[in-house]
Amino acid sequence: MADLLELYVKLVGLVLVGFILGRKLPDSVPTHLGELLFWVGVPISIVAFLRRADLSGQIWIAPAIAYLAIALGAFLAWWGMKGQAYFTKSIHEKSTQGSLLLAAMLGNTGYLGYPITLALVGQEYFAWALFYDMLGSLFGAYGFGIVLASYFGGNVGNYGQITKSIVINPALWSFGFGLLFRAVTLPPIWESSLEKLGWGVIALTLILIGMRLSQLNSWHRLPEAGISLIIKMLIVPLAIGGILPLFGVTGEPALVIVLQISMPPAFATLVIAETFNLDRDLAVTSLAVGSMILLVTLPLWLWLF
């Protein structure tokens, strides 16, 4: 509980700082900060925290569980929309259906999942979160997510750009470099500086989240967004968390996996929605509300797992 309260103070505090700065600073500042973190900051933090991560055990199962969570979220959201259409005799537009599916599938396993995992579980099990995100969520978003978005949005002219964005993703390259860099011995002062730099990057990512949330002004789609959020942040984590022992995943690794599964919708859902002409307002609402719901659901996962 003490760790959770400390996390809330830091999490809410840094996001609030970002929110205030986002209201005061020019709109270009979050864009430039995001680019800096994307190209430099996040790769450095990945390399830093990988050095002390434990890569033993069944860590390679983390991406497989990520794909299972993505598929289950999409499946439940699809049948949820079918059920709603049957009882209400109304059908969502295809663009809205696409945004609902993405919000139920894709979680913020990087910008939010990393700091929460590090704060609550520690660096030793950080690799579970990293493998889940880098080899699971990333390809789920820009693979399966793009296929769905192109179908529901009707915009099929962006595959080349999306493929390029995956190939040149610096986080993915730093993931591979970090695995090799683990074998390199550094002087204690360098090791300590690299770790502090990694934590500094985490703080900046939370501030950036606050900045981006300050730019979101869409709340009128809350009832529709609620369907995807219940699936993404409650049903799927409970369902998959309950069967993790069948895969041999228990204890702290199970908690890390559940925390990653239960993250609110990713900012990638908004990027994809805008690229493929999906329902942007719904994507925005899901992001904002999901980020607030997270503060309520975190104690539940700590209690259960």
Side-chain angles (χ1 to χ4, degrees):
M1 183 59 66
D3 290 341
L4 184 63
L5 291 175
E6 182 181 355
L7 170 65
Y8 277 14
V9 171
K10 294 178 179 178
L11 190 66
V12 175
L14 289 170
V15 171
L16 183 59
V17 168
F19 189 90
I20 295 172
L21 291 176
R23 294 287 188 179
K24 300 292 185 181
L25 298 176
D27 292 342
S28 60
V29 173
T31 300
H32 294 318
L33 178 58
E35 291 174 349
L36 178 64
L37 289 173
F38 179 78
W39 291 105
V40 181
V42 172
I44 289 176
S45 69
I46 289 173
V47 171
F49 294 125
L50 256 182
R51 292 187 61 80
R52 295 190 180 184
D54 182 6
L55 301 183
S56 63
Q58 296 179 292
I59 193 170
W60 290 98
I61 202 173
I65 297 174
Y67 296 133
L68 177 60
I70 290 171
L72 180 59
F75 175 81
L76 293 176
W78 175 255
W79 283 105
M81 289 187 295
K82 289 288 188 181
Q84 184 183 38
Y86 176 80
F87 288 109
T88 63
K89 307 301 180 183
S90 62
I91 300 176
H92 291 301
E93 294 182 2
K94 289 188 66 175
S95 61
T96 298
Q97 293 179 26
S99 290
L100 284 171
L101 285 169
L102 289 179
M105 291 165 45
L106 309 175
N108 195 340
T109 53
Y111 286 114
L112 271 177
Y114 289 177
I116 287 174
T117 296
L118 288 166
L120 294 180
V121 189
Q123 293 186 42
E124 182 179 357
Y125 298 97
F126 176 66
W128 283 85
L130 195 59
F131 275 58
Y132 186 103
D133 178 57
M134 287 285 99
L135 300 182
S137 295
L138 176 64
F139 292 104
Y142 294 107
F144 186 34
I146 293 303
V147 172
L148 286 177
S150 64
Y151 172 76
F152 287 100
N155 187 346
V156 296
N158 297 281
Y159 287 113
Q161 183 64 32
I162 293 298
T163 301
K164 180 182 178 182
S165 69
I166 296 177
V167 173
I168 68 173
N169 190 316
L172 194 59
W173 286 96
S174 67
F175 174 59
F177 174 77
L179 291 175
L180 298 175
F181 193 60
R182 285 167 55 89
V184 178
T185 302
L186 295 177
I189 184 66
W190 289 18
E191 194 80 60
S192 175
S193 298
L194 183 61
E195 182 177 346
K196 290 179 181 178
L197 190 58
W199 281 109
V201 169
I202 291 296
L204 284 177
T205 61
L206 293 172
I207 290 174
L208 177 61
I209 288 175
M211 287 182 170
R212 287 177 169 169
L213 288 177
S214 72
Q215 299 174 338
L216 306 181
N217 298 305
S218 176
W219 300 94
H220 67 283
R221 307 296 296 281
L222 182 57
E224 293 168 289
I227 299 172
S228 292
L229 293 176
I230 290 173
I231 292 172
K232 175 70 188 66
M233 301 183 69
L234 285 175
I235 298 177
V236 174
L238 280 172
I240 296 184
I243 64 172
L244 284 179
L246 300 179
F247 297 98
V249 181
T250 58
E252 284 84 355
L255 176 58
V256 172
I257 293 295
V258 171
L259 288 175
Q260 290 293 85
I261 296 173
S262 64
M263 286 298 106
F267 281 104
T269 60
L270 180 56
V271 174
I272 296 173
E274 292 177 336
T275 303
F276 287 87
N277 298 321
L278 299 179
D279 191 329
R280 183 187 185 279
D281 285 345
L282 182 58
V284 167
T285 304
S286 299
L287 286 176
V289 178
S291 299
M292 293 185 290
I293 291 177
L294 178 65
L295 299 177
V296 179
T297 57
L298 275 179
L300 172 66
W301 308 127
L302 289 174
W303 176 60
L304 289 176
F305 296 95

